Amino acid sequence: MIFKRDNWSALRRDFEFDPDLLALAEEVEERVAPQVEAVRARGERNAVRVLAAFRRAAPQSHALAGTTGYGYDDAGREALDRIYADVFGAEAALVRPQFVSGTHALATGLFGLLGPGDRLIAVGEPYDTIRTVIGTGDPPARGTLRALGVTYDVVPLADHGGPEPSSLHERLTRPSPGRTVVLLQRSRGYAWRRSLAMEDLAQIIASIRELCPDALVFVDNCYGEFVEDREPPMIGADLCGGSLIKNPGGGIAPTGGYLVGRRELIEAAAERLTAPGLGSHVGPTLGLARTMLQGLFLAPQVVSQAVAGAIFLACYFEHLGFAVSPRFNEPRSDIIQAVKLGSREAVIAFCGGIQAASPIDSQARPEPWDMPGYADQVIMAAGTFVQGASIELSADAPMRAPFAVYVQGGLLAAQVKLAALTAAQALRERGLA
Ligand SMILES: *Cc1c(COP(=O)(O)O)cnc(C)c1O
């Protein structure tokens, strides 16, 4: 509780908040207390699961040092793979600092699963950078999945959040000579839709199994890790992955990505990351195993801080009159909080306000730019210790209607709460709130 009245003079001195914004913050902090308590309890349960996996793998301190060169017998890499597999309920894992981002890890998984004559069916529009990997242009760009001869189709998500059963049925029962891979995305990405809860994913996977028993299910798990008690491999996903500068890196891992899933699929992906014949047997951790392991250890706690902050921000902006998704008391399956701001100016002001509450580069004012892999201009506020880390507090928005901003992360809930007020104050100073 940072907005109690006896703190106001310090907050006014250090952050120059208007008194009525502080009064609202005090009220909102009280209002969201039950939801925040539930999030804290879930964080503890997930921390228990993670520590149990560490105990089973029992890494020794020399694993933290890592290797160089080929990285044969790197004990840190072996511990990472074993612990990630255990935590996510999968047979095997591929956790590497050589994955430069979540997109790289997910693309490696998709290229490992798919070849000429195979088909990829996405349930819901995939995230912007994954669409670029698939190659949605006509003709598809060189190097993309479609250019390789993979056919691609999307089953849209209906208003109820899941796919229309009839369209799923129609796509999945079409005969296809090759392998079928179904891509599901847990988080909302840059879309004004709710994230898919584990329960929703379990139902969709059950329908897929019924309609097309041989299909492989691939889940883009970005932003979802540790938000619920279960992870996609526990409900039947064949392969799933994400970024270590998001949830599972705990704000500590400086780079990397992961894939978890069935052993033979992990090996196929490893041969894409390295080369046929090398697979998962090489890859030095270069001294990064300590931060990657420590980050995973902290991740349940960090994710619960981020989610607690998002709940406050949702309730705060709803009180200021903005549409938010999800609402503070709705269930969550990712760390993203969307706020509909309605105009380009408001998005820029809001992101400037978030940036002002950051530990690094708080003086910077973000501007929209042409970010690689994205079709629209994007603005990103991120005053982070790790460049672009969105488990640290960040806000971004594609510059397109309805001018919604997507806020995520925060190593400390207190920072997210302060950022909600600096953003509100920035909007108010421009007459936008
Ligand atoms: C962040 C994200 C990705 C991957 O993005 P990177 O910036 O490459 O890590 C993919 N899918 C979703 C839904 C994401 O949120």
Side-chain angles (χ1 to χ4, degrees):
M1 297 285 183
I2 57 176
F3 295 116
K4 289 260 182 269
R5 210 158 285 250
D6 53 10
N7 255 344
W8 284 14
S9 63
L11 287 165
R12 297 204 58 189
R13 182 192 65 224
D14 294 336
F15 290 89
E16 293 151 27
F17 293 135
D18 294 343
D20 61 322
L21 289 181
L22 285 169
L24 177 60
E26 185 182 26
E27 195 185 312
V28 166
E29 226 175 17
E30 293 285 343
R31 176 109 196 257
V32 301
Q35 283 77 23
V36 167
E37 172 52 26
V39 165
R40 193 196 59 76
R42 170 165 286 146
E44 288 198 352
R45 290 197 298 277
N46 281 328
V48 170
R49 186 154 59 82
V50 170
L51 179 56
F54 270 86
R55 276 162 48 89
R56 281 189 282 272
Q60 295 182 281
S61 53
H62 73 87
L64 306 177
T67 60
T68 54
Y70 294 122
Y72 292 133
D73 301 318
D74 186 310
R77 186 185 72 225
E78 287 166 6
L80 279 162
D81 286 354
R82 186 170 313 167
I83 297 168
Y84 261 77
D86 190 343
V87 165
F88 286 82
E91 281 175 11
L94 188 69
V95 188
R96 295 291 182 276
Q98 286 82 11
F99 281 129
V100 300
S101 66
T103 304
H104 185 200
L106 296 166
T108 302
L110 289 170
F111 277 100
L113 295 186
L114 290 159
D118 293 340
R119 63 174 176 171
L120 176 65
I121 299 173
V123 174
E125 277 294 340
Y127 186 70
D128 300 49
T129 61
I130 303 303
R131 282 208 295 275
T132 308
V133 167
I134 293 165
T136 50
D138 207 10
R142 215 182 150 80
T144 58
L145 284 166
R146 284 184 61 237
L148 186 70
V150 174
T151 62
Y152 172 60
D153 215 347
V154 182
V155 179
L157 292 174
D159 290 339
H160 56 75
E164 217 52 88
S166 58
S167 22
L168 196 62
H169 184 276
E170 196 263 318
R171 298 306 200 298
L172 280 169
T173 51
R174 254 185 229 167
S176 164
R179 178 184 262 184
T180 299
V181 174
V182 182
L183 170 63
L184 300 170
Q185 179 181 306
R186 182 168 173 186
S187 114
R188 60 174 60 240
Y190 288 146
W192 193 266
R193 68 156 172 99
R194 65 185 182 87
S195 52
L196 291 174
M198 272 308 120
E199 199 47 53
D200 302 319
L201 285 175
Q203 278 178 27
I204 298 170
I205 292 173
S207 314
I208 294 167
R209 295 280 177 247
E210 200 170 303
L211 295 167
C212 184
D214 295 333
L216 294 174
V217 175
F218 183 95
V219 178
D220 175 347
N221 203 28
C222 280
Y223 288 139
E225 301 90 350
F226 303 117
V227 177
E228 295 193 52
D229 294 287
R230 294 183 294 174
E231 298 294 339
M234 301 174 189
I235 55 162
D238 296 293
L239 195 62
C240 125
S243 165
L244 297 201
I245 64 169
K246 295 182 178 174
N247 307 15
I252 304 284
T255 188
Y258 76 93
L259 290 166
V260 288
R262 282 172 39 200
R263 191 172 305 281
E264 84 260 24
L265 306 180
I266 288 290
E267 206 43 54
E271 297 214 324
R272 279 290 147 197
L273 172 62
T274 60
L278 301 182
S280 63
H281 307 291
V282 292
T285 50
L286 302 165
L288 295 173
R290 179 183 66 78
T291 50
M292 294 164 76
L293 286 163
Q294 193 175 1
L296 177 66
F297 181 67
L298 289 170
Q301 159 84 2
V302 167
V303 169
S304 60
Q305 289 286 305
V307 174
I311 288 170
F312 175 90
L313 191 136
C315 192
Y316 198 76
F317 273 79
E318 186 170 314
H319 272 89
L320 292 173
F322 293 93
V324 299
S325 174
R327 296 191 57 215
F328 77 96
N329 54 1
E330 283 176 334
R332 288 170 190 258
S333 188
D334 66 16
I335 63 170
I336 301 179
Q337 181 60 51
V339 182
K340 211 178 271 185
L341 294 167
S343 73
R344 184 184 163 88
E345 300 67 51
V347 166
I348 295 172
F350 181 100
C351 289
I354 296 286
Q355 185 80 31
S358 303
I360 309 294
D361 292 335
S362 59
Q363 299 307 311
R365 287 298 162 264
E367 292 286 340
W369 66 299
D370 297 304
M371 188 165 167
Y374 292 81
D376 295 284
Q377 278 205 323
V378 174
I379 185 168
M380 295 203 158
T384 56
F385 293 100
V386 171
Q387 187 191 91
S390 44
I391 186 57
E392 298 184 53
L393 177 62
S394 49
D396 32 65
M399 284 300 173
R400 60 181 182 234
F403 293 99
V405 68
Y406 299 84
V407 185
Q408 61 275 314
L411 304 181
L412 299 172
Q415 184 204 352
V416 185
K417 294 195 277 188
L418 289 169
L421 270 72
T422 50
Q425 186 113 347
L427 286 168
R428 170 179 286 190
E429 277 161 13
R430 285 163 194 76
L432 299 163

